[in-house]
Amino acid sequence: MMMMRALLLPCVLLLSACSAEIAIQTEPFDQVVPVTSLLEPVYAEVALDLPEESVNTQDLDIIVNEVSATLVVVNPSPTLTLRTSARLSLTGTATPDNPRLYTNFNRPAYYDTAAEILAERTFQPDSRTPLRIDAPALKNAIGRRRVWVIVSNTVVRSGLTLPQLPAQIRLEDIVFQALLTKPFPGLGGALEAGGL
């Protein structure tokens, strides 16, 4: 039995040697989404350029193991409860240096085809909320040079005093991470042919 275990270990090591794991992530960035009226959402479309390692990977036989995003949602208002959601779009008009703001009156047609990555969620006044997003739609970003994140912000409730507008929600330290695997099927064949 001990001999069998000793033989299994090299086999597992050889199998793991037939692929390489690649971990990539974007540089952290922040985004502010203002809101200018009660109960009406404002949208901020943000362009995100992905790391070179994840671009044009369609023909490289890459396996996408996981893609996630981490961020901190900050509601700096002492009196307003804000509602926020986010979508991932493969189409957009914002650039990394120039986010685009719009409302329901001038929302672009591609908004409806953008995949939800953060369901609507309320954030209490004067709060900081760390989030991790593991939505399957994030995998669609791999292989692309640029994607767009569309974040909404709506005032849903205020205290007893009149709300002070404009208000804003801050998204801080936004980082997208991916773990990819590149298999090397020919390597396994060569090892087997060598008698291993």
Side-chain angles (χ1 to χ4, degrees):
M1 188 63 173
M2 184 62 93
M3 180 61 105
M4 181 66 83
R5 286 185 185 159
L7 289 174
L8 282 176
L9 182 60
C11 290
V12 171
L13 291 176
L14 285 176
L15 287 174
S16 66
C18 297
S19 65
E21 282 195 343
I22 305 164
I24 59 172
Q25 72 177 37
T26 60
E27 291 294 321
F29 68 99
D30 300 339
Q31 181 62 45
V32 173
V33 186
V35 63
T36 53
S37 61
L38 291 174
L39 305 177
E40 282 296 324
V42 173
Y43 303 90
E45 178 184 303
V46 182
L48 177 65
D49 286 340
L50 298 176
E52 194 63 40
E53 296 86 351
S54 71
V55 176
N56 298 324
T57 57
Q58 295 88 341
D59 299 327
L60 297 180
D61 199 23
I62 295 285
I63 299 166
V64 181
N65 298 325
E66 70 178 62
V67 182
S68 62
T70 55
L71 69 153
V72 177
V73 179
V74 180
N75 179 357
S77 170
T79 59
L80 300 180
T81 298
L82 302 177
R83 179 179 295 144
T84 298
S85 66
R87 291 176 174 240
L88 177 73
S89 179
L90 304 180
T91 304
T93 56
T95 64
D97 297 327
N98 191 18
R100 179 180 172 202
L101 298 178
Y102 43 83
T103 66
N104 281 332
F105 299 108
N106 64 343
R107 205 169 67 180
Y110 55 80
Y111 177 85
D112 293 327
T113 60
E116 184 179 75
I117 56 174
L118 175 64
E120 271 194 342
R121 183 169 170 176
T122 57
F123 296 91
Q124 299 302 314
D126 199 23
S127 64
R128 293 180 61 85
T129 309
L131 292 181
R132 178 181 170 89
I133 300 171
D134 292 307
L138 289 175
K139 290 187 176 183
N140 296 332
I142 300 300
R144 299 180 179 273
R145 160 59 60 204
R146 179 175 288 173
V147 295
W148 290 263
V149 178
I150 304 170
V151 181
S152 73
N153 185 16
T154 312
V155 173
V156 290
R157 191 168 56 247
S158 64
L160 298 176
T161 60
L162 289 174
Q164 296 296 310
L165 296 177
Q168 64 183 24
I169 201 155
R170 294 198 315 257
L171 310 179
E172 297 182 350
D173 296 326
I174 306 167
V175 176
F176 286 81
Q177 306 105 351
L179 185 61
L180 314 175
T181 300
K182 168 63 179 153
F184 299 106
L187 183 59
L191 291 173
E192 290 159 11
L196 297 173

